[in-house]
Amino acid sequence: MLPRLSRSLLVKRTIYTTFSFGAAYLADTELNASAVTRNLRTLWTCALISADYKLNFTPEHADRIPAIHQRVADRMYDLFTSNGGLYIKIGQAIGANAALMPAPFQQKFARLFDDAPQIPYRTVARVFQREFKKSPQELFAYFDEEAVASASVAQVHKARTWDGEWVAVKVQKPDVGRQIGYDLMAFRAVMWAFEKWVFDLPVYFAVDFISAHLRAELDFIAEASNSQRTASLIALEPRLAGKVHIPKVYPEYSTKRVLTAEWIDGVRLSDRDALARVVGEKVPERSGGMFADTEHKQRRNGVPESMRDVELFSAQMFDWGFVHCDPHPGNIIIRARPASSSSFFSLPSSLLSKSVLRDPELVLLDHGLYVTIRPHVKRQYASLWRALLSSDWDTIRNVTESWGVGEAGLFASAVLMRPVRMKRTGNGSSPHAEKDSGANGTTGDAGAELDAYEQSVRMKERLKRFLVDTDKMPKELIFLGRNMRIVQGNNQSLGSPVNRIKITAYWASRSLVTSNGRTPTTRTSLRAWWAQLDARELWQDVVFRTVMFSLDVVFLVSKLRQRVRALLGLANGGFEDELERSVRGFTRSAFGVEVGPEAFEG
């Protein structure tokens, strides 16, 4: 039994220690936006993950590996949702590229949405006082204190200017700015540990590039600049002008942490029922809708018109070299094209009538995350796309080798989102490729014979051969791959109304023919365009267009099969669904990884 003095001293020390930790926690919460607490949570979670893999990822414990993957996926998901903020963005990046990850990651991260509780109005008012020295009610004639949408980084309020214009006011959550330095420091430490100690895979090379773009996403002045630049580029592109709209920005109501833009009435691309009503498509099992049957027939091409994002992002990648990297369905609104091309006004969808309704117009939101593609990388990327469709295997190999990629076939499959197998002929001369065919795209299930440990080792070795020289790899490809994957998901979610691969490839080929890739519209511009023609590229473009006819046939057969199955009441699927099945077969045979359908949800 301790002496009374010792017990008293122990009690005092316990009280002091508890008080100190409590004070530190309170200070971190109130003054530091819980940055230290969040980082400790991150480091602890990563330590658990590392220890779990180090101790249990062994040949002797192969039967336990699926359970390890499940525990790790659960821990990572809980970490991202608990920390919020930029952690949600990192989790979404994982989710967008989860197809080659174990099944628990595919299932978990497909459900990681950019949603968060609202910050209270008093906090919003403090942001306005700091940015404008005015309250929201002083700055605007009307300001809705309840946010209409809230994400991890910012929330949006509806307001009206003193000139009577309705606007969307995006307000950055104050905690995010205070957390970002700590978050990126933890991100850097974790990636270093995963590469050097845990997984022995090259993942650290992209940290600086990703961190810089995540920082830029918090600068709303930069976002306004991105938005205005994109609007100017669209206005100069005849194939997009009047069909794609970028909300007007109000610089006088915008700062680094507050962005005010034109309010847009329409429906999200993710809201399929509402989208069907706006574009005039018939909604199953629903009567008394907005449009009569005759209007459905007149506007049966409404859904393909709504998929202008394929053309828009192709122009960004291959012509402009300035790419929006977060085109998820929540950032795309479809509305009826305004009655006047000079008007920014659009009636609410509930008030649309036959006299006002015109062709659908795509509205692109959230211009915070952009990547600029260097000119030589842009040209290489366009060359790669054209080569993939015209079976120019020498070009594919030359481009991938210049990028430090050791697995040309794997890289080609990732870019095209279609299985491509490259190998050399028997005499070791020129390379050629095998394309998986059929609905499931299987070329054998060798991977299915491996146990969980052997499958994981096989994938790791394949990925290490894939990233041979990370110093050569253009970092822009990280975000380009994300963009392409989301656009594919958008098209797939609407039943594959457009041939995404064909559209993308045509833009790539056109961009190589001339320096600006644009179609001439006047006699003067025709002469300038002709002067810029590259004869060699023009000939390759002609060859490419001839080859592309086969893809048209495949797409038309797919659409015919889709309609026949619908008439027979059978399970249906579009062109993208067939490609998905092909990719799933490819990953099973190449990596021994069973990819679930959740990995392909847009």
Side-chain angles (χ1 to χ4, degrees):
M1 187 172 181
L2 291 173
R4 181 174 299 177
L5 182 61
S6 298
R7 291 200 304 271
S8 175
L9 183 60
L10 180 61
V11 169
K12 288 182 179 180
R13 287 179 176 176
T14 302
I15 293 174
Y16 291 154
T17 301
T18 303
F19 177 80
S20 299
F21 277 111
Y25 176 79
L26 183 63
D28 180 49
T29 302
E30 296 298 324
L31 304 177
N32 211 26
S34 300
V36 175
T37 303
R38 295 163 80 252
N39 277 349
L40 289 176
R41 186 185 297 125
T42 299
L43 296 176
W44 174 247
T45 300
C46 292
L48 290 176
I49 292 173
S50 301
D52 204 349
Y53 273 124
K54 283 289 185 182
L55 295 174
N56 298 313
F57 190 78
T58 62
E60 297 79 14
H61 298 152
D63 58 325
R64 303 181 187 177
I65 289 176
I68 298 175
H69 292 325
Q70 185 65 61
R71 288 196 300 270
V72 171
D74 290 341
R75 286 166 179 160
M76 291 180 66
Y77 183 86
D78 292 343
L79 172 67
F80 292 150
T81 53
S82 297
N83 280 358
L86 291 181
Y87 280 79
I88 298 294
K89 299 289 184 184
I90 296 172
Q92 287 174 335
I94 295 174
N97 297 278
L100 289 181
M101 301 181 75
F105 291 87
Q106 300 168 20
Q107 296 159 4
K108 274 287 185 181
F109 288 94
R111 300 195 301 269
L112 189 62
F113 298 103
D114 193 3
D115 194 12
Q118 296 185 19
I119 56 174
Y121 172 72
R122 62 179 180 275
T123 304
V124 173
R126 286 200 297 269
V127 173
F128 270 77
Q129 285 291 344
R130 184 170 61 247
E131 298 296 312
F132 298 103
K133 309 302 181 187
K134 293 180 180 180
S135 69
Q137 279 74 17
E138 293 173 314
L139 194 64
F140 295 102
Y142 168 81
F143 186 89
D144 192 344
E145 296 185 4
E146 289 293 321
V148 296
S150 179
S152 55
V153 170
Q155 63 187 42
V156 177
H157 294 256
K158 188 174 184 178
R160 189 177 68 246
T161 68
W162 292 102
D163 294 330
E165 296 181 86
W166 287 101
V167 293
V169 184
K170 182 178 179 180
V171 183
Q172 187 176 125
K173 298 180 178 180
D175 287 351
V176 175
R178 288 181 286 176
Q179 293 167 347
I180 184 170
Y182 294 95
D183 289 351
L184 294 180
M185 181 173 62
F187 173 57
R188 181 180 299 275
V190 168
M191 290 297 101
W192 183 90
F194 280 175
E195 176 173 324
K196 303 295 183 182
W197 187 59
V198 183
F199 299 120
D200 189 29
L201 283 173
V203 294
Y204 188 76
F205 75 97
V207 166
D208 288 337
F209 188 80
I210 293 174
S211 297
H213 282 78
L214 289 177
R215 283 187 181 276
E217 195 172 1
L218 299 186
D219 184 350
F220 289 175
I221 295 296
E223 180 173 345
S225 177
N226 293 340
S227 175
Q228 292 166 330
R229 179 179 174 185
T230 301
S232 299
L233 291 168
I234 289 173
L236 296 173
E237 175 50 69
R239 289 166 286 185
L240 297 174
K243 301 172 184 176
V244 176
H245 180 68
I246 306 299
K248 172 186 172 183
V249 173
Y250 293 79
E252 65 273 27
Y253 297 114
S254 301
T255 68
K256 190 173 183 178
R257 294 178 179 84
V258 176
L259 177 64
T260 302
E262 166 194 7
W263 179 267
I264 299 294
D265 279 307
V267 298
R268 304 272 176 175
L269 191 65
S270 54
D271 190 344
R272 298 182 63 182
D273 286 348
L275 176 63
R277 291 195 299 272
V278 168
V279 301
E281 300 287 352
K282 189 174 181 179
V283 181
E285 300 179 0
R286 190 172 297 181
S287 60
M290 188 184 308
F291 306 106
D293 288 344
T294 55
E295 291 170 316
H296 297 314
K297 295 177 182 177
Q298 292 172 354
R299 299 185 48 74
R300 61 185 179 273
N301 292 323
V303 171
E305 283 291 317
S306 301
M307 283 303 299
R308 286 284 174 184
D309 63 339
V310 179
E311 292 191 89
L312 171 61
F313 298 121
S314 296
Q316 290 184 344
M317 285 185 291
F318 302 122
D319 283 356
W320 309 337
F322 186 63
V323 186
H324 185 296
C325 294
D326 199 15
H328 64 77
N331 282 340
I332 297 176
I333 289 179
I334 306 299
R335 67 173 183 177
R337 193 176 303 169
S340 171
S341 59
S342 62
S343 172
F344 289 102
F345 178 70
S346 177
L347 290 175
S349 58
S350 60
L351 300 180
L352 290 173
S353 66
K354 183 176 180 179
S355 60
V356 175
L357 184 64
R358 290 169 179 251
D359 292 335
E361 183 177 60
L362 184 147
V363 182
L364 183 62
L365 309 177
D366 196 354
H367 298 267
L369 184 58
Y370 270 73
V371 64
T372 300
I373 311 176
R374 290 166 292 171
H376 74 280
V377 174
K378 182 182 71 172
R379 190 170 183 84
Q380 287 176 320
Y381 194 58
S383 298
L384 179 66
W385 257 94
R386 187 172 67 182
L388 286 169
L389 272 297
S390 58
S391 301
D392 182 357
W393 311 119
D394 289 331
T395 297
I396 294 172
R397 197 173 297 279
N398 290 338
V399 171
T400 53
E401 286 179 357
S402 71
W403 287 350
V405 175
E407 289 272 358
L410 177 59
F411 187 79
S413 301
V415 171
L416 198 58
M417 291 291 180
R418 184 178 81 179
V420 176
R421 293 178 180 277
M422 295 186 66
K423 65 181 182 180
R424 294 188 176 274
T425 57
N427 57 13
S429 57
S430 62
H432 71 282
E434 290 180 345
K435 297 181 184 177
D436 291 339
S437 60
N440 57 13
T442 58
T443 56
D445 289 337
E449 301 171 0
L450 306 176
D451 62 33
Y453 178 81
E454 292 169 332
Q455 289 177 9
S456 299
V457 170
R458 180 179 182 178
M459 177 188 290
K460 179 178 176 179
E461 292 304 315
R462 188 82 185 267
L463 291 176
K464 288 177 73 173
R465 294 198 306 270
F466 173 72
L467 295 172
V468 175
D469 190 343
T470 55
D471 291 335
K472 290 182 179 179
M473 176 167 284
K475 308 303 185 292
E476 301 97 310
L477 298 178
I478 299 169
F479 289 108
L480 286 181
R482 169 184 167 83
N483 176 291
M484 292 296 297
R485 178 64 197 94
I486 296 175
V487 170
Q488 182 201 17
N490 293 346
N491 191 36
Q492 184 176 355
S493 68
L494 297 178
S496 309
V498 299
N499 191 333
R500 173 186 56 85
I501 292 179
K502 173 187 171 182
I503 293 172
T504 306
Y506 268 126
W507 277 84
S509 186
R510 278 194 299 255
S511 73
L512 292 168
V513 174
T514 64
S515 59
N516 58 22
R518 297 195 179 100
T519 302
T521 55
T522 67
R523 184 173 299 178
T524 301
S525 62
L526 178 61
R527 286 196 295 267
W529 176 76
W530 182 260
Q532 295 170 1
L533 281 177
D534 183 318
R536 180 175 176 274
E537 293 291 356
L538 181 60
W539 170 247
Q540 291 186 356
D541 184 63
V542 172
V543 174
F544 163 78
R545 289 172 182 271
T546 303
V547 173
M548 285 296 290
F549 179 74
S550 63
L551 187 60
D552 284 333
V553 173
V554 172
F555 183 73
L556 289 174
V557 170
S558 172
K559 297 300 288 185
L560 179 62
R561 185 187 302 118
Q562 187 178 359
R563 292 192 178 188
V564 170
R565 293 182 68 85
L567 290 173
L568 296 176
L570 301 175
N572 213 342
F575 187 55
E576 299 285 5
D577 298 284
E578 294 184 18
L579 291 181
E580 173 195 320
R581 287 191 290 270
S582 186
V583 170
R584 291 169 66 182
F586 174 74
T587 55
R588 181 169 57 250
S589 61
F591 293 100
V593 177
E594 191 65 41
V595 178
E598 300 87 352
F600 295 90
E601 293 178 359

